[in-house]
Amino acid sequence: LTVYFIIITLAINLSIADYCLFYSVLALFVLFSIFVDFGLTQGTINRLVEYRVNNKFSEMKNLALSILYLQLIIAAILSVVLILLQKFLSENYYNTDISAILLPLCLYFVTLPLVLFIINIIYSFGKSVFQSALDALKNVFILILILVGLYLFNLAIKAPAYAYAFSNIFALIIFTPVFFKIFPDFFKLKFQFDLVEVWRTFKYGIYVTLATMGWTIITQTDTLMLTYYSGLEQVGIYQVAVPISMVLLY
């Protein structure tokens, strides 16, 4: 429900072109997130639960941190690539400067693996209520920051970009104490990068995630293609119409 309030707030306060520009750039990051996750999240939860049930806490730490480091490296590389392509994308794809929203969304992208790491650990200890609350709390936080950015600081299109950027930091602040409460010995355990278990986790998770990957590609490439062929204003109208029509699914 909060997502629709975010959409309505942005549709009211941003121009059609700015509204589309934000969601089009965001769609680019959502599409790239496939390469960061790549089935590892689903596979990680399965393996971590297995380790926790068998009291293999050292193995839990090894696997969780190994995947975290791998995802951070991938996210950082992709962010650097997008920053280097910023001028090219602005001139040849979006036909407008995207630097104001690209950099904060890069921060959102790079910090995403940290949130996944903490939530996966929490979920593996059977605290699924915290995982369920994560998206709701993040969306409420994003909505509040957007309202503050729009009405107090007049940030316009920068408001949602910074709201998304700080949402992961907010999640880390909220859920890190929970993480240490349920896994107090985390820093006491020695860490060793476990490439073998990462590969096993990937092989399990990739099959589970194929449907999600397909859905992500289908739902994000339309925006990216329309941005290139139709222009920002027409895609802005499309981006408003689609979420409204999706309400009917409920």
Side-chain angles (χ1 to χ4, degrees):
L1 182 61
T2 312
V3 174
Y4 288 99
F5 281 114
I6 294 173
I7 292 171
I8 292 170
T9 301
L10 294 178
I12 291 173
N13 291 278
L14 298 181
S15 66
I16 296 176
D18 281 351
Y19 181 91
C20 170
L21 180 62
F22 170 73
Y23 277 105
S24 183
V25 176
L26 182 63
L28 190 63
F29 281 93
V30 173
L31 192 62
F32 274 31
S33 67
I34 294 175
F35 302 103
V36 175
D37 183 86
F38 221 61
L40 288 174
T41 298
Q42 295 291 337
T44 300
I45 293 175
N46 176 70
R47 299 295 291 170
L48 291 180
V49 171
E50 181 180 336
Y51 286 143
R52 195 264 304 172
V53 170
N54 292 284
N55 295 321
K56 295 182 177 180
F57 297 111
S58 293
E59 287 81 355
M60 282 186 69
K61 177 176 179 176
N62 290 341
L63 177 61
L65 275 183
S66 297
I67 289 177
L68 170 63
Y69 293 152
L70 181 61
Q71 290 181 325
L72 283 174
I73 291 172
I74 296 173
I77 292 173
L78 292 176
S79 295
V80 170
V81 170
L82 286 175
I83 291 173
L84 293 176
L85 292 175
Q86 172 186 306
K87 185 177 180 180
F88 174 82
L89 292 172
S90 297
E91 295 177 353
N92 299 280
Y93 183 73
Y94 292 103
N95 297 314
T96 187
D97 186 15
I98 64 172
S99 60
I101 59 176
L102 182 67
L103 293 178
L105 286 178
C106 282
L107 175 60
Y108 167 79
F109 193 62
V110 170
T111 54
L112 185 59
L114 294 171
V115 177
L116 293 175
F117 164 75
I118 287 182
I119 290 301
N120 288 343
I121 292 289
I122 292 175
Y123 187 83
S124 67
F125 277 88
K127 308 297 182 180
S128 56
V129 64
F130 292 103
Q131 187 192 37
S132 302
L134 173 64
D135 288 335
L137 290 175
K138 282 182 64 176
N139 287 331
V140 170
F141 180 75
I142 289 171
L143 177 60
I144 293 172
L145 280 191
I146 287 175
L147 292 171
V148 170
L150 289 173
Y151 293 107
L152 292 185
F153 297 99
N154 196 29
L155 293 178
I157 193 174
K158 295 180 183 179
Y162 283 107
Y164 273 84
F166 289 113
S167 64
N168 284 336
I169 298 174
F170 167 77
L172 291 173
I173 293 173
I174 295 296
F175 287 97
T176 297
V178 179
F179 170 84
F180 286 118
K181 183 176 181 180
I182 66 174
F183 203 165
D185 296 329
F186 181 79
F187 283 113
K188 297 179 182 178
L189 301 172
K190 293 183 178 180
F191 167 69
Q192 183 177 359
F193 190 88
D194 196 337
L195 184 60
V196 174
E197 280 303 309
V198 170
W199 176 244
R200 289 176 181 173
T201 302
F202 169 77
K203 289 195 296 183
Y204 171 86
I206 189 60
Y207 296 107
V208 180
T209 313
L210 280 176
T212 304
M213 291 170 62
W215 175 252
T216 301
I217 293 171
I218 291 171
T219 55
Q220 301 304 320
T221 51
D222 56 353
T223 300
L224 296 173
M225 291 178 67
L226 286 171
T227 300
Y228 183 78
Y229 289 108
S230 301
L232 292 178
E233 290 197 2
Q234 294 183 40
V235 182
I237 296 173
Y238 172 79
Q239 277 294 317
V240 172
V242 170
I244 293 174
S245 66
M246 295 294 285
V247 175
L248 297 175
L249 288 176
Y250 289 99

